[in-house]
Amino acid sequence: MNTYDVRPESFEVFKKRMLLINGLVILSLVLGLIFVFPFRDKIGIIALAIAIVLVLIIAAFAINRSIKRMREVWPTYSLTIDDDFILKTQLHHSDIRIDREEIKTIKKSFTGDLVIKTDEWRKFIIIPRSLNGLEEVEGLLTQWKPIRGTSIKALIFSLSIAIAIFFGFLVLVRHLF
């Protein structure tokens, strides 16, 4: 049985990535608000400004809170690999145990993180690239199942679809109301 943990200093890299993703989501929400709100008069512009300020305040509070929580739990990440199972434990999270025969796929993202998935969509383990001994873990997991890579092209395609659906929904809302 082997146990691995993350490098505590790697939290700053994770935090920057989280801020970038949240920033893009907030930008999309603000653009959506601008698109949906009518600009017929001063009341519409004032309502838009208030909505944007509210979104920014709520987002800032939520991001700050989640960063504080993640800073607390980040160093408690622990991954245990035995001959027939993998177990992830972390403070304030339920333990996730995946037996060897439960593994459906193992993917390596373009960022270097590993994702172990099962047939249950809620039962998965993300192994961060900052894990001490990641190369050893990859070697052990390769013996269980081949590790497939995911490309940035697949991510961009998925994001494009999501953005198209989001703005399509906004167009529908604007025409209906």
Side-chain angles (χ1 to χ4, degrees):
M1 185 178 323
N2 299 327
T3 302
Y4 306 90
D5 60 357
V6 293
R7 295 183 296 277
E9 68 275 3
S10 64
F11 175 75
E12 292 303 317
V13 174
F14 172 78
K15 181 176 123 179
K16 287 178 185 175
R17 205 168 38 166
M18 192 170 104
L19 288 172
L20 175 66
I21 291 168
N22 285 318
L24 292 173
V25 169
I26 292 166
L27 178 65
S28 297
L29 285 172
V30 168
L31 289 174
L33 287 172
I34 291 170
F35 187 77
V36 170
F37 269 83
F39 288 104
R40 295 185 197 111
D41 53 8
K42 289 183 182 179
I43 294 175
I45 294 172
I46 292 170
L48 172 64
I50 291 171
I52 289 173
V53 168
L54 283 174
V55 165
L56 293 177
I57 289 171
I58 292 168
F61 175 76
I63 291 169
N64 187 38
R65 185 166 184 240
S66 65
I67 287 174
K68 283 181 182 177
R69 184 172 172 93
M70 282 304 296
R71 188 181 311 276
E72 178 186 352
V73 302
W74 184 262
T76 66
Y77 182 101
S78 176
L79 188 75
T80 303
I81 300 179
D82 199 12
D83 292 336
D84 57 345
F85 71 89
I86 184 167
L87 173 70
K88 185 204 88 151
T89 58
Q90 193 168 17
L91 184 68
H92 301 307
H93 292 81
S94 299
D95 292 354
I96 300 173
R97 178 188 163 126
I98 298 177
D99 292 327
R100 187 175 186 164
E101 60 273 356
E102 285 183 284
I103 295 175
K104 183 178 178 181
T105 60
I106 304 173
K107 292 184 179 180
K108 185 172 187 172
S109 72
F110 69 94
T111 62
D113 299 330
L114 293 173
V115 181
I116 301 173
K117 294 184 178 182
T118 66
D119 284 331
E120 295 179 48
W121 68 274
R122 293 182 297 175
K123 189 174 181 182
F124 61 91
I125 295 176
I126 297 175
I127 303 172
R129 65 180 175 207
S130 59
L131 188 78
N132 288 320
L134 182 63
E135 298 81 19
E136 184 180 337
V137 169
E138 283 186 47
L140 292 170
L141 293 176
T142 303
Q143 296 172 8
W144 292 9
K145 200 93 155 168
I147 298 176
R148 298 186 325 195
T150 58
S151 69
I152 194 161
K153 290 179 184 178
L155 175 67
I156 290 172
F157 178 76
S158 298
L159 285 175
S160 300
I161 297 295
I163 289 168
I165 291 170
F166 176 70
F167 281 103
F169 176 75
L170 291 178
V171 167
L172 181 66
V173 167
R174 183 154 187 168
H175 286 297
L176 290 177
F177 300 105

